[in-house]
Amino acid sequence: MKRILTLLLLVSCFFAEFTFAQQTDSAYVRNRYTKIERLIPMRDGTKLFTSIYIPKDIAASKKYPFLINRTPYTVRPYGENQYKTSLGGYPAVMRDGFIFVYQDVRGRWMSEGNFEDIRPTNLGKGKKDIDESTDTYDTIDWLLKNIKNNNGKAGIYGISYPGFYSTTSLVKSHPALKAVSPQAPVTDWFIGDDFHHGGALFLMDAFKFMTSFGVPRPQPITPDKGPKPFQFPIKDNYRFYLEAGSVKNLKEKYMGDSIKFWNNLFKHPNLDTFWQARQIVRHLKDVKPAVMTVGGFFDAEDAYGAFATYKAIEKQNPKANNILVAGPWYHGGWVRGKGDSFGDINFGTATSTYYQENLELPFFKYYLKGEGTFDAAEANIFLTGSNQWKNFNTWPPQDVELKSLYFHPNGKLSFTKPNTNNSFDEYVSDPNAPVPYQDGIQANRTREYMIDDQRFAARRPDVKTYQTDVLTEDITLTGPVLANLLVSTSGTDADYVVKLIDVYPEDTKEISPADQNKMMADYQMLVRGEILRGKYRNSFEKPEAFVPNEATKVKYALPDVGHTFKKGHRIMVQVQHSWFPLADRNPQKFMNIYEAKPSDFQKATHRIYHGEADGSFLSLPVLKP
């Protein structure tokens, strides 16, 4: 009872401090900034609702740059006498002083026009051709001409979907746009962000998001009159989605034809022109502003997007001023917490505070105000495991050696090839009893699954587990992990989930920062997991059926990692064929899964082959000492 009372007191103090901080920041905003609201006209006549917070000392002819955030998630509160509690990503930015600009993107909330998810970039030359890039250009142009005493410079930032709008600003950018920071940017909804990974529908995120966000808006509307979150009838996400029976059933029961983007999923199951038109990285050419792309290694929504955006700019703009920051963060964790721990894993330092003080604020101050210096490295990476910031001249680093980690019989894993051939593990997967993505029961998808203990999965017969001997030296991985599988299935399709895991020593003294009673002995920390829908093994555009029971190569890249497996730990790899309900179930037969009925889901017998001549392995980017 005493412990419970202490906990309640701590919680009460936390909320009291949080409320006081909010009130303090709100008073600061009101005292230091004047808020105005404007409908800014675009080149086609559509007007976008924009809230502008202007420093009050601007009247004394002090000039400030614009710091812009374009969002589909509302710029509330609405009304020129209603102020945000804080401006910018965190208080230090607000207190440093910018002209903060928040805009409802076209077709969302109080802006006019029609909204389109990840609107395709339009490179047409017509005077009234629009896309998110032209809307950004027109917004900056209007601000420069209509807000007095600006210094002629603008910056843009945003996390997640606003990160996408940050990226789009780089296409044929306005000359006044000097600094852009796409953070966890939505980048590719078919390959690796939010809606799909490796062509597999990320079911929980897609359904929950679109049942509210995707509801059509007939006219400009404030959030209090907008759609409400979906109310799940079962507070167990595994049960809810399993009992639904199929993606088609979910649509028919809860959506009908009301949600345009969900309908488009059914119309475009493969990487066709619909999805290709929404791949913003194709257009990141002739980039002129300074760019700082930010991402979290443990971001459950958009871990893929940050690395893909940085690499595309680097490849297509060799001389661009383009840098990368990646840390041990969940979605937006670099400004939404201290970043000293996540779930059960301790990082030993306040990584978010370091990022804010040494990277983001200096970036915008230097390029927008001409203040201070900014000499950040090309790639600023926090390595978990060793828990240290490392700077690199490239990403992935040049001083990396690709090493093969081979699957062996009896669950062994080694950098040495097996001395046997025609060896395999055989097991059965049943989509009607899919492998859960996380232990326990959850009402909603957790963010901690990205880093959580995998012992629950290792106990299942439909999860094949391979493990090294105890490491005799540290091994640091920096870059993408490549899965090279030789497999067969008795079906004609299959999903492949590969998980890279750090196994803690039996005698570790470490304790979970989230639970002081939880010892970390034998903990199986998920470092990186990713799925590939097997029919896309050779092409996302042209799916191919498997030949039943024929050995087939399946190769794909897992998103980048930055992690040190410490001496005394082990490296583990798990392979499974469902990750539910994170990803929708594969019926294990070649078909359009969006049209699958409950009766289509069938068991299949799988083999993973290991051998000296031709077997399964991971290709690891090992940093040279």
Short mmCIF file of all heavy atoms in Angstrom, two decimals, residues 426-469:
data_model
loop_
_atom_site.label_atom_id
_atom_site.label_comp_id
_atom_site.label_asym_id
_atom_site.label_seq_id
_atom_site.Cartn_x
_atom_site.Cartn_y
_atom_site.Cartn_z
N GLU A 426 12.59 -27.48 -40.72
CA GLU A 426 11.23 -27.59 -41.26
C GLU A 426 10.22 -27.38 -40.15
O GLU A 426 10.38 -27.90 -39.04
CB GLU A 426 11.03 -28.97 -41.90
CG GLU A 426 9.66 -29.12 -42.56
CD GLU A 426 9.53 -30.46 -43.29
OE1 GLU A 426 10.02 -30.55 -44.43
OE2 GLU A 426 8.94 -31.39 -42.69
N TYR A 427 9.18 -26.62 -40.46
CA TYR A 427 8.17 -26.29 -39.46
C TYR A 427 6.91 -25.81 -40.17
O TYR A 427 6.92 -25.57 -41.39
CB TYR A 427 8.69 -25.20 -38.51
CG TYR A 427 9.19 -23.98 -39.23
CD1 TYR A 427 8.40 -22.83 -39.33
CD2 TYR A 427 10.45 -23.96 -39.84
CE1 TYR A 427 8.84 -21.72 -40.01
CE2 TYR A 427 10.90 -22.84 -40.52
CZ TYR A 427 10.10 -21.73 -40.61
OH TYR A 427 10.53 -20.62 -41.28
N VAL A 428 5.83 -25.67 -39.43
CA VAL A 428 4.53 -25.30 -39.99
C VAL A 428 4.11 -23.94 -39.44
O VAL A 428 4.25 -23.67 -38.23
CB VAL A 428 3.46 -26.35 -39.64
CG1 VAL A 428 2.07 -25.89 -40.09
CG2 VAL A 428 3.81 -27.70 -40.26
N SER A 429 3.59 -23.09 -40.32
CA SER A 429 2.98 -21.84 -39.87
C SER A 429 1.50 -21.87 -40.21
O SER A 429 1.09 -22.39 -41.26
CB SER A 429 3.64 -20.63 -40.53
OG SER A 429 3.31 -20.54 -41.89
N ASP A 430 0.71 -21.32 -39.31
CA ASP A 430 -0.75 -21.31 -39.47
C ASP A 430 -1.24 -19.87 -39.33
O ASP A 430 -1.19 -19.30 -38.24
CB ASP A 430 -1.39 -22.19 -38.40
CG ASP A 430 -2.90 -22.28 -38.54
OD1 ASP A 430 -3.46 -21.63 -39.45
OD2 ASP A 430 -3.53 -22.99 -37.73
N PRO A 431 -1.72 -19.25 -40.42
CA PRO A 431 -2.20 -17.86 -40.33
C PRO A 431 -3.42 -17.70 -39.43
O PRO A 431 -3.76 -16.57 -39.06
CB PRO A 431 -2.53 -17.50 -41.78
CG PRO A 431 -2.70 -18.80 -42.49
CD PRO A 431 -1.82 -19.78 -41.79
N ASN A 432 -4.06 -18.81 -39.06
CA ASN A 432 -5.18 -18.72 -38.13
C ASN A 432 -4.73 -18.72 -36.67
O ASN A 432 -5.55 -18.54 -35.77
CB ASN A 432 -6.15 -19.86 -38.38
CG ASN A 432 -6.86 -19.70 -39.72
OD1 ASN A 432 -7.49 -18.68 -39.96
ND2 ASN A 432 -6.73 -20.69 -40.59
N ALA A 433 -3.43 -18.91 -36.46
CA ALA A 433 -2.81 -18.77 -35.13
C ALA A 433 -1.51 -17.99 -35.31
O ALA A 433 -0.42 -18.52 -35.06
CB ALA A 433 -2.56 -20.13 -34.50
N PRO A 434 -1.59 -16.75 -35.78
CA PRO A 434 -0.39 -16.00 -36.17
C PRO A 434 0.49 -15.62 -34.98
O PRO A 434 0.02 -15.52 -33.84
CB PRO A 434 -0.96 -14.75 -36.84
CG PRO A 434 -2.31 -14.57 -36.22
CD PRO A 434 -2.83 -15.95 -35.96
N VAL A 435 1.77 -15.41 -35.27
CA VAL A 435 2.72 -14.99 -34.25
C VAL A 435 2.43 -13.54 -33.86
O VAL A 435 2.39 -12.67 -34.73
CB VAL A 435 4.17 -15.10 -34.76
CG1 VAL A 435 5.15 -14.67 -33.68
CG2 VAL A 435 4.47 -16.52 -35.23
N PRO A 436 2.21 -13.25 -32.58
CA PRO A 436 1.96 -11.86 -32.19
C PRO A 436 3.22 -11.02 -32.31
O PRO A 436 4.34 -11.53 -32.22
CB PRO A 436 1.50 -11.98 -30.73
CG PRO A 436 2.07 -13.27 -30.25
CD PRO A 436 2.12 -14.19 -31.44
N TYR A 437 3.03 -9.73 -32.50
CA TYR A 437 4.17 -8.83 -32.64
C TYR A 437 4.80 -8.49 -31.30
O TYR A 437 5.94 -8.00 -31.24
CB TYR A 437 3.74 -7.55 -33.36
CG TYR A 437 2.99 -6.56 -32.49
CD1 TYR A 437 3.61 -5.42 -32.01
CD2 TYR A 437 1.66 -6.78 -32.12
CE1 TYR A 437 2.94 -4.51 -31.20
CE2 TYR A 437 0.97 -5.89 -31.33
CZ TYR A 437 1.62 -4.76 -30.87
OH TYR A 437 0.94 -3.87 -30.06
N GLN A 438 4.07 -8.74 -30.21
CA GLN A 438 4.56 -8.40 -28.88
C GLN A 438 3.88 -9.30 -27.85
O GLN A 438 2.78 -9.80 -28.07
CB GLN A 438 4.26 -6.92 -28.57
CG GLN A 438 4.98 -6.37 -27.34
CD GLN A 438 4.77 -4.87 -27.19
OE1 GLN A 438 3.78 -4.32 -27.66
NE2 GLN A 438 5.70 -4.19 -26.52
N ASP A 439 4.56 -9.50 -26.75
CA ASP A 439 4.00 -10.33 -25.69
C ASP A 439 2.88 -9.58 -24.98
O ASP A 439 2.81 -8.35 -24.99
CB ASP A 439 5.11 -10.67 -24.68
CG ASP A 439 4.73 -11.84 -23.77
OD1 ASP A 439 3.77 -12.56 -24.10
OD2 ASP A 439 5.42 -12.03 -22.75
N GLY A 440 1.96 -10.34 -24.36
CA GLY A 440 0.89 -9.73 -23.58
C GLY A 440 -0.29 -9.31 -24.42
O GLY A 440 -0.41 -9.66 -25.60
N ILE A 441 -1.17 -8.54 -23.81
CA ILE A 441 -2.39 -8.06 -24.46
C ILE A 441 -2.34 -6.53 -24.52
O ILE A 441 -2.09 -5.87 -23.52
CB ILE A 441 -3.65 -8.52 -23.69
CG1 ILE A 441 -3.75 -10.05 -23.73
CG2 ILE A 441 -4.91 -7.88 -24.28
CD1 ILE A 441 -4.85 -10.60 -22.86
N GLN A 442 -2.58 -5.99 -25.70
CA GLN A 442 -2.57 -4.54 -25.90
C GLN A 442 -3.87 -4.09 -26.56
O GLN A 442 -4.40 -4.78 -27.43
CB GLN A 442 -1.40 -4.10 -26.78
CG GLN A 442 -0.02 -4.40 -26.23
CD GLN A 442 0.45 -5.79 -26.59
OE1 GLN A 442 0.10 -6.32 -27.64
NE2 GLN A 442 1.23 -6.41 -25.72
N ALA A 443 -4.35 -2.94 -26.13
CA ALA A 443 -5.53 -2.36 -26.79
C ALA A 443 -5.12 -1.66 -28.08
O ALA A 443 -5.88 -1.64 -29.05
CB ALA A 443 -6.22 -1.37 -25.85
N ASN A 444 -3.92 -1.10 -28.10
CA ASN A 444 -3.41 -0.40 -29.27
C ASN A 444 -1.97 -0.82 -29.53
O ASN A 444 -1.29 -1.33 -28.64
CB ASN A 444 -3.45 1.12 -29.05
CG ASN A 444 -4.87 1.63 -28.87
OD1 ASN A 444 -5.67 1.59 -29.79
ND2 ASN A 444 -5.18 2.11 -27.68
N ARG A 445 -1.51 -0.57 -30.74
CA ARG A 445 -0.12 -0.87 -31.06
C ARG A 445 0.80 -0.02 -30.19
O ARG A 445 0.67 1.19 -30.11
CB ARG A 445 0.14 -0.59 -32.55
CG ARG A 445 1.45 -1.17 -33.05
CD ARG A 445 2.62 -0.20 -33.00
NE ARG A 445 2.43 0.91 -33.92
CZ ARG A 445 2.77 2.15 -33.64
NH1 ARG A 445 3.30 2.47 -32.47
NH2 ARG A 445 2.57 3.11 -34.52
N THR A 446 1.74 -0.66 -29.51
CA THR A 446 2.66 0.07 -28.66
C THR A 446 3.85 0.55 -29.48
O THR A 446 4.18 -0.02 -30.52
CB THR A 446 3.17 -0.78 -27.51
OG1 THR A 446 4.11 -1.74 -28.02
CG2 THR A 446 2.03 -1.52 -26.82
N ARG A 447 4.54 1.57 -29.02
CA ARG A 447 5.77 2.00 -29.67
C ARG A 447 6.96 1.18 -29.17
O ARG A 447 7.97 1.07 -29.86
CB ARG A 447 5.98 3.49 -29.45
CG ARG A 447 6.16 3.91 -28.00
CD ARG A 447 6.08 5.42 -27.85
NE ARG A 447 6.38 5.84 -26.49
CZ ARG A 447 6.15 7.07 -26.03
NH1 ARG A 447 5.61 7.99 -26.83
NH2 ARG A 447 6.46 7.40 -24.80
N GLU A 448 6.82 0.57 -27.98
CA GLU A 448 7.93 -0.17 -27.39
C GLU A 448 8.22 -1.49 -28.09
O GLU A 448 9.29 -2.08 -27.86
CB GLU A 448 7.67 -0.44 -25.90
CG GLU A 448 7.79 0.76 -25.00
CD GLU A 448 6.56 1.67 -25.03
OE1 GLU A 448 5.54 1.25 -25.62
OE2 GLU A 448 6.62 2.78 -24.49
N TYR A 449 7.30 -1.96 -28.93
CA TYR A 449 7.55 -3.24 -29.59
C TYR A 449 8.83 -3.21 -30.41
O TYR A 449 9.47 -4.24 -30.63
CB TYR A 449 6.36 -3.64 -30.49
CG TYR A 449 6.46 -3.19 -31.92
CD1 TYR A 449 7.14 -3.95 -32.87
CD2 TYR A 449 5.91 -1.98 -32.35
CE1 TYR A 449 7.25 -3.53 -34.19
CE2 TYR A 449 6.01 -1.56 -33.66
CZ TYR A 449 6.68 -2.33 -34.58
OH TYR A 449 6.79 -1.92 -35.87
N MET A 450 9.24 -2.02 -30.84
CA MET A 450 10.42 -1.88 -31.68
C MET A 450 11.72 -2.26 -30.97
O MET A 450 12.74 -2.48 -31.62
CB MET A 450 10.55 -0.43 -32.16
CG MET A 450 9.50 0.02 -33.14
SD MET A 450 9.75 -0.65 -34.79
CE MET A 450 11.22 0.18 -35.33
N ILE A 451 11.67 -2.36 -29.66
CA ILE A 451 12.89 -2.58 -28.89
C ILE A 451 12.68 -3.65 -27.81
O ILE A 451 13.56 -3.92 -26.99
CB ILE A 451 13.34 -1.23 -28.26
CG1 ILE A 451 14.81 -1.24 -27.87
CG2 ILE A 451 12.45 -0.85 -27.09
CD1 ILE A 451 15.34 0.14 -27.49
N ASP A 452 11.51 -4.31 -27.85
CA ASP A 452 11.06 -5.14 -26.72
C ASP A 452 11.67 -6.54 -26.72
O ASP A 452 12.22 -7.03 -27.70
CB ASP A 452 9.53 -5.23 -26.75
CG ASP A 452 8.94 -5.32 -25.36
OD1 ASP A 452 9.69 -5.21 -24.38
OD2 ASP A 452 7.71 -5.49 -25.25
N ASP A 453 11.52 -7.21 -25.58
CA ASP A 453 12.01 -8.57 -25.34
C ASP A 453 11.31 -9.56 -26.26
O ASP A 453 10.08 -9.59 -26.35
CB ASP A 453 11.75 -8.92 -23.88
CG ASP A 453 12.44 -10.19 -23.43
OD1 ASP A 453 13.10 -10.84 -24.25
OD2 ASP A 453 12.30 -10.52 -22.23
N GLN A 454 12.09 -10.42 -26.94
CA GLN A 454 11.54 -11.36 -27.91
C GLN A 454 11.49 -12.80 -27.40
O GLN A 454 11.25 -13.73 -28.19
CB GLN A 454 12.37 -11.31 -29.20
CG GLN A 454 12.39 -9.95 -29.86
CD GLN A 454 11.01 -9.47 -30.27
OE1 GLN A 454 10.32 -10.13 -31.05
NE2 GLN A 454 10.59 -8.32 -29.75
N ARG A 455 11.64 -13.01 -26.10
CA ARG A 455 11.62 -14.39 -25.59
C ARG A 455 10.28 -15.07 -25.81
O ARG A 455 10.22 -16.28 -25.98
CB ARG A 455 12.02 -14.40 -24.11
CG ARG A 455 13.51 -14.30 -23.90
CD ARG A 455 13.89 -14.27 -22.44
NE ARG A 455 13.60 -12.98 -21.83
CZ ARG A 455 14.01 -12.62 -20.61
NH1 ARG A 455 14.73 -13.46 -19.89
NH2 ARG A 455 13.72 -11.42 -20.12
N PHE A 456 9.21 -14.31 -25.82
CA PHE A 456 7.89 -14.90 -26.05
C PHE A 456 7.82 -15.56 -27.42
O PHE A 456 7.20 -16.60 -27.59
CB PHE A 456 6.80 -13.81 -25.93
CG PHE A 456 6.72 -12.89 -27.12
CD1 PHE A 456 5.80 -13.13 -28.13
CD2 PHE A 456 7.57 -11.80 -27.24
CE1 PHE A 456 5.72 -12.29 -29.24
CE2 PHE A 456 7.50 -10.95 -28.33
CZ PHE A 456 6.59 -11.20 -29.33
N ALA A 457 8.46 -14.94 -28.41
CA ALA A 457 8.43 -15.49 -29.77
C ALA A 457 9.37 -16.68 -29.91
O ALA A 457 9.06 -17.65 -30.62
CB ALA A 457 8.81 -14.41 -30.78
N ALA A 458 10.51 -16.63 -29.23
CA ALA A 458 11.48 -17.72 -29.32
C ALA A 458 10.91 -19.04 -28.82
O ALA A 458 11.40 -20.12 -29.19
CB ALA A 458 12.74 -17.36 -28.54
N ARG A 459 9.87 -18.99 -28.01
CA ARG A 459 9.27 -20.21 -27.44
C ARG A 459 8.29 -20.88 -28.40
O ARG A 459 7.85 -22.00 -28.14
CB ARG A 459 8.55 -19.87 -26.13
CG ARG A 459 9.46 -19.27 -25.06
CD ARG A 459 8.69 -19.03 -23.76
NE ARG A 459 9.53 -18.35 -22.78
CZ ARG A 459 9.34 -17.10 -22.38
NH1 ARG A 459 8.34 -16.39 -22.88
NH2 ARG A 459 10.14 -16.53 -21.49
N ARG A 460 7.95 -20.21 -29.49
CA ARG A 460 6.95 -20.77 -30.41
C ARG A 460 7.61 -21.69 -31.44
O ARG A 460 8.68 -21.37 -31.97
CB ARG A 460 6.20 -19.63 -31.13
CG ARG A 460 5.24 -18.88 -30.22
CD ARG A 460 4.49 -17.82 -31.02
NE ARG A 460 3.73 -18.36 -32.13
CZ ARG A 460 2.40 -18.26 -32.28
NH1 ARG A 460 1.69 -17.67 -31.34
NH2 ARG A 460 1.81 -18.74 -33.35
N PRO A 461 6.95 -22.79 -31.78
CA PRO A 461 7.53 -23.71 -32.77
C PRO A 461 7.52 -23.16 -34.19
O PRO A 461 8.26 -23.65 -35.05
CB PRO A 461 6.64 -24.96 -32.67
CG PRO A 461 5.33 -24.45 -32.13
CD PRO A 461 5.70 -23.33 -31.19
N ASP A 462 6.70 -22.12 -34.46
CA ASP A 462 6.66 -21.53 -35.80
C ASP A 462 7.56 -20.31 -35.92
O ASP A 462 7.45 -19.54 -36.88
CB ASP A 462 5.22 -21.17 -36.18
CG ASP A 462 4.51 -20.31 -35.15
OD1 ASP A 462 5.09 -20.04 -34.08
OD2 ASP A 462 3.35 -19.91 -35.41
N VAL A 463 8.46 -20.13 -34.96
CA VAL A 463 9.50 -19.10 -35.02
C VAL A 463 10.84 -19.81 -34.94
O VAL A 463 11.14 -20.47 -33.94
CB VAL A 463 9.37 -18.08 -33.88
CG1 VAL A 463 10.53 -17.07 -33.93
CG2 VAL A 463 8.03 -17.35 -33.94
N LYS A 464 11.63 -19.72 -35.97
CA LYS A 464 12.95 -20.37 -35.97
C LYS A 464 13.99 -19.40 -35.43
O LYS A 464 14.10 -18.26 -35.89
CB LYS A 464 13.34 -20.85 -37.36
CG LYS A 464 12.38 -21.85 -37.97
CD LYS A 464 11.93 -22.95 -37.00
CE LYS A 464 13.07 -23.86 -36.55
NZ LYS A 464 12.56 -24.89 -35.59
N THR A 465 14.73 -19.88 -34.44
CA THR A 465 15.67 -19.05 -33.71
C THR A 465 17.09 -19.56 -33.88
O THR A 465 17.35 -20.76 -33.72
CB THR A 465 15.30 -19.02 -32.22
OG1 THR A 465 13.98 -18.48 -32.08
CG2 THR A 465 16.27 -18.16 -31.42
N TYR A 466 18.00 -18.63 -34.20
CA TYR A 466 19.42 -18.95 -34.38
C TYR A 466 20.23 -17.99 -33.51
O TYR A 466 19.91 -16.80 -33.43
CB TYR A 466 19.82 -18.80 -35.85
CG TYR A 466 18.99 -19.64 -36.79
CD1 TYR A 466 17.79 -19.17 -37.32
CD2 TYR A 466 19.39 -20.93 -37.14
CE1 TYR A 466 17.01 -19.95 -38.16
CE2 TYR A 466 18.62 -21.72 -37.99
CZ TYR A 466 17.42 -21.21 -38.49
OH TYR A 466 16.66 -21.99 -39.33
N GLN A 467 21.29 -18.51 -32.88
CA GLN A 467 22.02 -17.71 -31.91
C GLN A 467 23.52 -18.02 -31.96
O GLN A 467 23.92 -19.17 -32.11
CB GLN A 467 21.48 -18.00 -30.50
CG GLN A 467 22.10 -17.20 -29.40
CD GLN A 467 21.43 -17.47 -28.06
OE1 GLN A 467 20.99 -16.55 -27.39
NE2 GLN A 467 21.33 -18.72 -27.67
N THR A 468 24.34 -16.97 -31.84
CA THR A 468 25.78 -17.15 -31.80
C THR A 468 26.23 -17.64 -30.43
O THR A 468 25.46 -17.62 -29.45
CB THR A 468 26.52 -15.83 -32.09
OG1 THR A 468 26.25 -14.90 -31.01
CG2 THR A 468 26.09 -15.22 -33.41
N ASP A 469 27.49 -18.05 -30.36
CA ASP A 469 28.12 -18.24 -29.06
C ASP A 469 28.30 -16.87 -28.42
O ASP A 469 28.08 -15.82 -29.05
CB ASP A 469 29.48 -18.91 -29.24
CG ASP A 469 29.36 -20.35 -29.73
OD1 ASP A 469 28.31 -20.99 -29.47
OD2 ASP A 469 30.32 -20.84 -30.37
#
